Amino acid sequence: IICDGVSLQLTGGPQLQGIALLNIPSTHGGTNMWGDSKSKFSRKKVKKDGELSSSSSLGDLIDLSSASQDIGDKMIEVIGLENCLHMGQVRTGLRSSGKRLAQCSHIVIRTKKQFPMQIDGEPWNQPPCTIEIAHKNQVPMLLAPPPKSRSFFNFLSHATRKSEDLIDDY
């Protein structure tokens, strides 16, 4: 796996059975695989210790423990999963997140043998290949205000406020 031109070193940590590439904060019905961030600052350089990854185009070491996930930052989060139990533990809250591997804008995955793959819940066996993933474009969206409730109870609370206003006027 090559992120922004730098090969990820996966040999030093736990054995990973899965890699997730995300550009949104939730997956699998609301699971936050990246986990909560310690601060709003997205990428902080660090010299030694901590969770490190070479994920910038310059090859700098990045402290991913404080990296935040943002839909609009044009970055792809790379997360390692030890096994399917690890994914279930994150989903149920027993573990805070998957293993943060990188945050980058361009990913190349080269495979030498067939392996199972999935996109949006659709699985298949992928033959040996080179997969290249990059941010293509972004569409601005408008968010409407929340709809006003039209329930019976909302009408009663509105009528109660009106009658209280009338009483205050006398």
Side-chain angles (χ1 to χ4, degrees):
I1 300 175
I2 300 168
C3 293
D4 288 342
V6 179
S7 181
L8 287 181
Q9 299 302 318
L10 302 175
T11 57
Q15 291 282 15
L16 300 176
Q17 289 184 3
I19 302 289
L21 306 174
L22 304 173
N23 67 344
I24 57 173
S26 66
T27 182
H28 306 335
T31 304
N32 185 351
M33 288 294 188
W34 185 255
D36 293 331
S37 298
K38 294 179 183 174
S39 72
K40 296 288 181 187
F41 185 67
S42 64
R43 293 166 55 137
K44 179 176 141 186
K45 294 180 185 178
V46 74
K47 291 183 181 177
K48 292 187 179 179
D49 298 323
E51 191 171 7
L52 303 176
S53 175
S54 299
S55 64
S56 75
S57 57
L58 300 174
D60 296 329
L61 293 177
I62 304 296
D63 177 11
L64 293 174
S65 65
S66 62
S68 64
Q69 187 177 29
D70 183 13
I71 295 173
D73 65 359
K74 300 181 182 181
M75 301 295 281
I76 299 168
E77 284 73 28
V78 183
I79 299 145
L81 298 164
E82 295 174 19
N83 50 40
C84 61
L85 183 61
H86 184 182
M87 188 182 316
Q89 290 171 332
V90 173
R91 173 77 173 120
T92 59
L94 294 172
R95 290 176 87 167
S96 61
S97 68
K99 172 128 176 75
R100 294 178 179 190
L101 300 175
Q103 234 183 353
C104 54
S105 59
H106 185 260
I107 300 169
V108 177
I109 301 171
R110 290 191 179 98
T111 65
K112 296 180 182 178
K113 60 183 180 178
Q114 182 173 318
F115 70 98
M117 192 171 188
Q118 162 181 305
I119 295 179
D120 287 340
E122 299 296 326
W124 74 91
N125 280 322
Q126 179 65 47
C129 67
T130 297
I131 301 168
E132 192 169 338
I133 301 169
H135 188 272
K136 183 175 180 180
N137 56 22
Q138 196 165 355
V139 177
M141 292 179 56
L142 296 175
L143 181 63
K148 294 181 180 179
S149 176
R150 295 177 186 244
S151 72
F152 177 72
F153 298 108
N154 190 31
F155 171 74
L156 285 178
S157 65
H158 183 66
T160 304
R161 281 192 301 249
K162 288 277 191 186
S163 64
E164 288 173 356
D165 290 342
L166 290 174
I167 292 171
D168 290 341
D169 289 341
Y170 288 106

